[in-house]
Amino acid sequence: MNNFQRLEEEQARLYDASRRRDVQENLSQTFGLFKFIGQIVDVYLPAMIGVLVSAAGGKGPDGRNQGLNRPPSEGGEHPGKVGPHPPNGDAPRR
Amino acid sequence: MKDLEVIHHYLDTQASRCFNLLYERYAGKIYSKCISMLKEEALAQDATQEIFTKIFLNLSRFGEKSKFSTWVYSITYNYCIDFLRRKKKQKNIFSDEMEKAPEPVDDGTSEKELLEMEIGQLKVVLDNIPAGDRAVLLMKYQDGMSIKEIADILDKTESAVKMKIKRAKAKAQETKKELFKEQPI
């Protein structure tokens, strides 16, 4: 070990426990914030893009033209039979 | 656990345990380099925080072409150099008058004297030479980097780095003579 490296060790000792803890806490907060922003972007960005595309009259992710998707009462196509299918045969007896 | 294992585990899991481990290993060394470069404890503390943020945000870009420590120190030196450049509003702290100075004579004794300089004197000498000279001397003698590694960090040619180190050593010797004139017995 030369004197440059001894000087490094000496100066590293100035980085005491209190400084170490302060910086570590600040970094944890910063990364926590970044993670939170990342999660928000992950969840909401695709939905926001979908809304913007729909508003502009483009097709949504399922390929349908969102702008023309009207209810049947306004002249849109009826989606057909909806709701749960009836069970086949009789319900099992107890 | 080796650095690379910790990095891979961190990238896979984002576990704070890995972050803490790397922080414990490198915080002191980064702080020491920041103190040497920036000369103020408060600035060095802020710089350490900023450098760690950069390291962790860019961890996935670490290409494993060099040692992790070399990559960490390259971020550290570049941060400090940029900071000093902004502070002085100087375009390039490596293009000072020394670039045009004549090549110093290196008889091999300057390196020996430099490495054997008493720690207190070495600190004062480093504080009184230009930041660019300080940076190359620290990279070479403190971190044991090769000329190629230094050239990559500073984006200079290897011959320019060799010249820079030679001039930095001469400058350090000169500064030592000026600051610590030998007392007559």
Side-chain angles (χ1 to χ4, degrees):
Chain A
M1 183 183 272
N2 64 40
N3 282 349
F4 276 85
Q5 288 157 341
R6 287 192 190 97
L7 176 64
E8 182 183 39
E9 278 195 352
E10 202 172 273
Q11 287 176 330
R13 279 197 287 273
L14 292 173
Y15 197 59
D16 54 21
S18 123
R19 282 205 169 98
R20 203 171 272 267
R21 199 182 47 243
D22 285 351
V23 171
Q24 200 164 5
E25 278 172 8
N26 288 342
L27 285 169
S28 296
Q29 283 172 6
T30 305
F31 289 124
L33 182 67
F34 286 159
K35 211 170 178 177
F36 177 67
I37 292 170
Q39 283 167 346
I40 286 192
V41 168
D42 271 356
V43 171
Y44 290 109
L45 193 66
M48 277 173 65
I49 290 173
V51 168
L52 289 174
V53 168
S54 300
K59 288 184 178 178
D62 57 356
R64 285 189 300 174
N65 191 326
Q66 303 287 304
L68 299 175
N69 193 14
R70 297 179 190 140
S73 58
E74 292 176 18
E77 197 180 321
H78 198 280
K81 204 170 185 179
V82 291
H85 295 288
N88 290 330
D90 295 333
R93 291 182 185 174
R94 292 185 181 178
Chain B
M1 210 173 180
K2 286 180 182 171
D3 283 350
L4 281 182
E5 291 169 352
V6 179
I7 292 163
H8 289 151
H9 194 66
Y10 179 78
L11 291 174
D12 290 343
T13 62
Q14 304 283 309
S16 58
R17 189 167 53 89
C18 300
F19 163 79
N20 291 336
L21 201 56
L22 291 175
Y23 178 79
E24 286 300 323
R25 278 183 198 171
Y26 287 98
K29 288 181 176 179
I30 290 175
Y31 179 77
S32 169
K33 289 180 202 318
C34 291
I35 280 253
S36 292
M37 290 299 293
L38 307 175
K39 302 185 204 174
E40 275 183 46
E41 292 188 7
L43 285 180
Q45 185 171 337
D46 290 348
T48 305
Q49 187 174 318
E50 294 282 322
I51 289 162
F52 265 102
T53 308
K54 280 187 174 218
I55 288 170
F56 279 89
L57 289 180
N58 291 292
L59 207 53
S60 57
R61 291 188 200 164
F62 170 54
E64 299 178 27
K65 288 175 189 166
S66 62
K67 283 193 288 181
F68 180 64
S69 59
T70 305
W71 185 73
V72 166
Y73 300 153
S74 75
I75 292 176
T76 306
Y77 286 115
N78 280 320
Y79 177 90
C80 293
I81 289 164
D82 282 345
F83 181 88
L84 293 171
R85 199 179 283 161
R86 282 200 305 271
K87 197 175 165 190
K88 288 183 178 178
K89 292 183 181 171
Q90 196 175 324
K91 202 173 177 187
N92 190 348
I93 63 170
F94 287 93
S95 65
D96 53 13
E97 290 167 5
M98 288 290 280
E99 297 285 322
K100 290 168 192 166
E103 186 178 340
V105 179
D106 187 2
D107 55 4
T109 54
S110 62
E111 183 164 290
K112 193 168 175 287
E113 281 179 34
L114 194 64
L115 293 175
E116 288 175 356
M117 204 182 285
E118 193 255 316
I119 295 179
Q121 287 185 352
L122 180 62
K123 187 179 182 317
V124 175
V125 167
L126 287 173
D127 281 351
N128 283 280
I129 60 174
D133 292 339
R134 194 157 63 239
V136 290
L137 291 180
L138 290 176
M139 286 184 216
K140 175 140 175 66
Y141 297 113
Q142 195 166 78
D143 307 323
M145 288 184 195
S146 67
I147 300 291
K148 190 183 179 310
E149 285 171 331
I150 300 173
D152 287 344
I153 291 172
L154 300 178
D155 199 21
K156 301 267 179 192
T157 63
E158 289 184 40
S159 56
V161 169
K162 279 182 195 165
M163 186 63 67
K164 184 74 190 168
I165 290 171
K166 202 182 264 189
R167 285 172 181 160
K169 284 192 290 187
K171 183 76 184 171
Q173 289 294 338
E174 194 186 303
T175 307
K176 189 200 165 193
K177 277 179 195 158
E178 278 173 19
L179 295 173
F180 302 100
K181 284 175 187 160
E182 284 179 31
Q183 301 292 321
I185 301 168

